[in-house]
């Protein structure tokens, strides 16, 4: 069955609309990051986690024992994509599929610094993007779902689940 990219875009956009903050400080980054680490341990998974300000300054970072430098490199590429497209990296990927666009030819971006795949999510305070959360080491849709689940827990909100496959570009 083919992915309904319009429906994926709707769901992913709704997630971003719901999972916004009234404020977000470095202390909040620490608290959210620790929720993420607790979930990593509870689920018995390996992940690299990063929460960065828009200027790239890392305010929280964690790498589980099974994570490696390659995962960190992927978090860099996902951060760049979220920063550039101003939406989650999975939403950017779904939009690119829907529009038939490519990273290099249509956006002029290189694969070494950017990647259209899930695992990067914007933190918005009253609609303004202030930080980016990235994780890497799972399948990219699961990276995205992990972030959404942790944000739901932190914010005490529920967002619609995104359970469609969206191939990386």
């Amino acid at each position: 069955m083919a992915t309904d990219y319009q429906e994926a875009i709707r769901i992913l956009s709704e997630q971003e609309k719901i999972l916004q903050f009234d404020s977000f400080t470095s202390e909040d980054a620490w608290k959210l990051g620790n929720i993420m680490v607790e979930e990593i341990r509870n689920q018995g998974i390996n992940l690299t986690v990063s929460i960065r300000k828009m200027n790239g300054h890392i305010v929280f970072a964690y790498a589980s024992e099974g994570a490696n430098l390659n995962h960190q490199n992927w978090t860099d590429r996902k951060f760049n994509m979220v920063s550039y497209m101003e939406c989650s990296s999975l939403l950017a990927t779904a939009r690119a599929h829907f529009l038939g666009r490519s990273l290099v030819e249509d956006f002029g971006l290189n694969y070494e610094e950017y990647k259209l795949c899930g695992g990067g999510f914007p933190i918005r305070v009253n609609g303004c993007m202030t930080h980016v959360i990235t994780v890497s080491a799972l399948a990219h849709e699961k990276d995205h779902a992990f972030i959404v689940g942790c944000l739901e827990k932190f914010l005490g909100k529920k967002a619609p689940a995104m359970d469609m496959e969206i191939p990386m570009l």
Side-chain angles (χ1 to χ4, degrees), residues 10 33 57 99 122 138 146 153:
R10 185 194 67 74
H57 178 72
L99 297 171
L138 304 174
F146 179 83
K153 188 172 185 176

Side-chain angles (χ1 to χ4, degrees), residues 95-113:
R95 286 178 175 158
H97 277 288
F98 180 70
L99 297 171
R101 301 191 77 185
S102 73
L103 197 61
V104 174
E105 293 81 12
D106 295 314
F107 298 115
L109 305 174
N110 67 58
Y111 293 107
E112 291 80 30
E113 295 180 32

Side-chain angles (χ1 to χ4, degrees), residues 5 9 81 84-85 87 89-109 111 115-117 166-169:
Y5 290 112
I9 290 165
M81 184 54 60
Y84 185 80
M85 300 301 277
C87 65
S89 55
L90 192 59
L91 177 54
T93 306
R95 286 178 175 158
H97 277 288
F98 180 70
L99 297 171
R101 301 191 77 185
S102 73
L103 197 61
V104 174
E105 293 81 12
D106 295 314
F107 298 115
L109 305 174
Y111 293 107
K115 186 64 180 170
L116 283 163
C117 67
I166 300 177
M168 292 191 294
L169 289 173

